[in-house]
Amino acid sequence: MKVTSERMPRSILQLTIEIDEATVEKELDRASRGLSQKAKVPGFRPGKAPRAILERFYGRQALLEEASEGMINAGFKYALESEGIEPIAQASLGDVQFNVMPYTVVINVPVEPITKIADYSGYKQVFAVPAVTDEVMNRAMDDMREKHVVLREPEESRSAQQGDLITAEVDVVHNGLSINGRIDGQPGQSTDLILEPGRLIGGLMEGVIGMSIGENKTVAATMPEDYTDETLRGEAVTFDVTVRRIQERILPDWNELPTLENKEGTLADLKHATSDELAKNARENAENRLVNGFIDSLVAGAVYDYHESMIELEADRILRGQEQEYARYGTTAEAVYRQMGRKREDLVAQYLPQGEERLKRNLAMREFVTAEGILVDDSDIDVEIDAMLESYEPEQRETMKALLREQLVASVANAALDKKIRARVMELVAQSGPDAEPAAKKKSTKKPASTENDDDAPSAAAPKKKTTKKAE
Amino acid sequence: MNAHQIIIRPLITEKNTNLMQLNKYCFEVDKNASKPEIGAAIATIFNVTVTDVATINVRGKMRRRGIRTGYTSRWKKAIVTLAAGNTIDVFEGM
């Protein structure tokens, strides 16, 4: 048996297999035994007609057709073993030549993708953590207080005042058409309105203040310039408001807030802790922006060669993640799809663009991890498990430790790898100080990945098993 | 009668295939052909040496079409034994 292989675009390895005569004869014999069982040859009981008789009776072509599957399988198996190929999806059959010896079969095998990432050594960004301003701090404290608001019906019937929570039916009209579905809830359904400055669309709060239960009023307002629906930005609309309920919002005293938040200490301590928390979040967000920016750049600058089945696989994974969510809510994916009136295959097709994006990201990150030699070993997993266990009660820790060590070890490894990647990216990318160059200028120094840059491609011999955990 | 009139067709069946291992070949032959004539005809057509000829007159089988009954034709079968080392091409590869 002779095998020649050629790498084709879209991550396909084209195998041309010459099937040797011994295999052909063996498979023809096997096929004739099979055909003999099915065929009715006069003078012979089923299964007793010899190959030569069958060949004369049905022709060699019929026998070859019967034997072709066996010959192809035998050739394919030999090719996979001899070339050390690991297909990543179903192979497809190309040209088959069974007319002249040696018989040849062409098989297209989807194999591992090839990704070349661009040189990222010049990618630098200024790492700046925004300060926690008084405004941010005050908003956080107000939000915290708002969580503990108590609603109460006014003791005496009265009209709506600033600070109240109003339940009202609101019909929004733009250019003479009702657009309720695009604003708040469904037409005819009640909406809660908090009469506080900055909480409602400009003009609506002022219009509602003073209205009584059952009262109907048309309030003219202008949609804000940063409204989510672009077509309505800055547009004049009218709100047809019918008030159904008025409730007083009683905010807790500032000094009660630490107790309500289950925190020890005074309001000043709570403010201090909140400030620390906000600073920590701000730092994390800044880090996230930096890391995500680097990854986006890496993904965009990489050159990929992958098989389309991988996109489908990724889309399927996304859907499976959703199905697990359904299961968590006590329903089955089948029930949801039935209710939606859609088939799973259609949904997989819908997720193909997302699947492709995720695949590219995974491939680029896998190359990065390989190039940087980032590995996760047992000690990293132990550290990660210890960090995770801190969020559990002491009596739960032993059980959780066993669970994290056994069943969830892949997730733990992923988390550990993620941390290592982030740390490495920060090392590579983050620039501090006023002399840091603007990111855009630095970005332009990146070399595009090209075939000439093959030497820059990460070595295939780099450890892969551990690194693929993240990519997968 | 020439040789091709005597030998009508080879009989290729499971049983006859097994007989080939004993260097015996079966043919349908003319009803009136004698054993020497059959042997000579085989030797002429296939260029082999015949050592023995056995013949069987196969009786017609009864066949019925509704109420009518009849018989298929009678025919003669010949089992020809060849000298060692001789084979007949028509059966080659069997």
Side-chain angles (χ1 to χ4, degrees), chain A residues 130-171:
Chain A
V132 180
T133 60
D134 287 349
E135 192 194 342
V136 174
M137 183 66 199
N138 290 340
R139 203 185 311 135
M141 293 304 289
D142 284 344
D143 287 346
M144 203 185 291
R145 196 176 172 215
E146 187 73 37
K147 278 195 299 185
H148 304 289
V149 72
V150 176
L151 297 173
R152 193 178 68 181
E153 301 285 341
E155 287 175 2
E156 288 178 15
S157 179
R158 62 166 175 79
S159 57
Q161 294 173 359
Q162 183 171 333
D164 284 347
L165 175 81
I166 305 298
T167 307
E169 281 169 19
V170 184
D171 191 19

Side-chain angles (χ1 to χ4, degrees), chain A residues 38-210:
Chain A
K38 293 182 278 182
K40 281 188 176 177
V41 184
F44 294 88
R45 291 173 293 168
K48 297 290 182 185
R51 180 180 144 190
I53 296 292
L54 286 168
E55 222 171 300
R56 250 181 245 171
F57 202 76
Y58 290 105
R60 188 176 168 80
Q61 202 55 36
L63 262 188
L64 273 175
E65 275 172 26
E66 194 77 11
S68 60
E69 196 181 325
M71 285 193 280
I72 292 166
N73 285 343
F76 187 42
K77 194 177 166 196
Y78 174 82
L80 291 184
E81 281 169 7
S82 64
E83 300 281 306
I85 301 162
E86 286 183 21
I88 56 157
Q90 185 83 35
S92 63
L93 192 62
D95 292 339
V96 176
Q97 190 278 114
F98 283 161
N99 298 323
V100 188
M101 288 296 274
Y103 295 160
T104 55
V105 179
V106 176
I107 299 174
N108 297 314
V109 191
V111 288
E112 277 291 316
I114 292 177
T115 313
K116 284 178 187 166
I117 50 175
D119 176 21
Y120 51 83
S121 57
Y123 185 92
K124 299 284 177 198
Q125 286 274 10
V126 176
F127 179 53
V129 181
V132 180
T133 60
D134 287 349
E135 192 194 342
V136 174
M137 183 66 199
N138 290 340
R139 203 185 311 135
M141 293 304 289
D142 284 344
D143 287 346
M144 203 185 291
R145 196 176 172 215
E146 187 73 37
K147 278 195 299 185
H148 304 289
V149 72
V150 176
L151 297 173
R152 193 178 68 181
E153 301 285 341
E155 287 175 2
E156 288 178 15
S157 179
R158 62 166 175 79
S159 57
Q161 294 173 359
Q162 183 171 333
D164 284 347
L165 175 81
I166 305 298
T167 307
E169 281 169 19
V170 184
D171 191 19
V172 191
V173 180
H174 175 242
N175 289 339
L177 292 171
S178 174
I179 50 166
N180 259 21
R182 290 159 66 187
I183 306 287
D184 288 306
Q186 297 298 313
Q189 282 190 349
S190 293
T191 308
D192 286 340
L193 307 173
I194 295 172
L195 302 185
E196 286 283 4
R199 293 288 189 101
L200 296 175
I201 289 163
L204 181 59
M205 185 188 86
E206 291 79 4
V208 175
I209 288 173

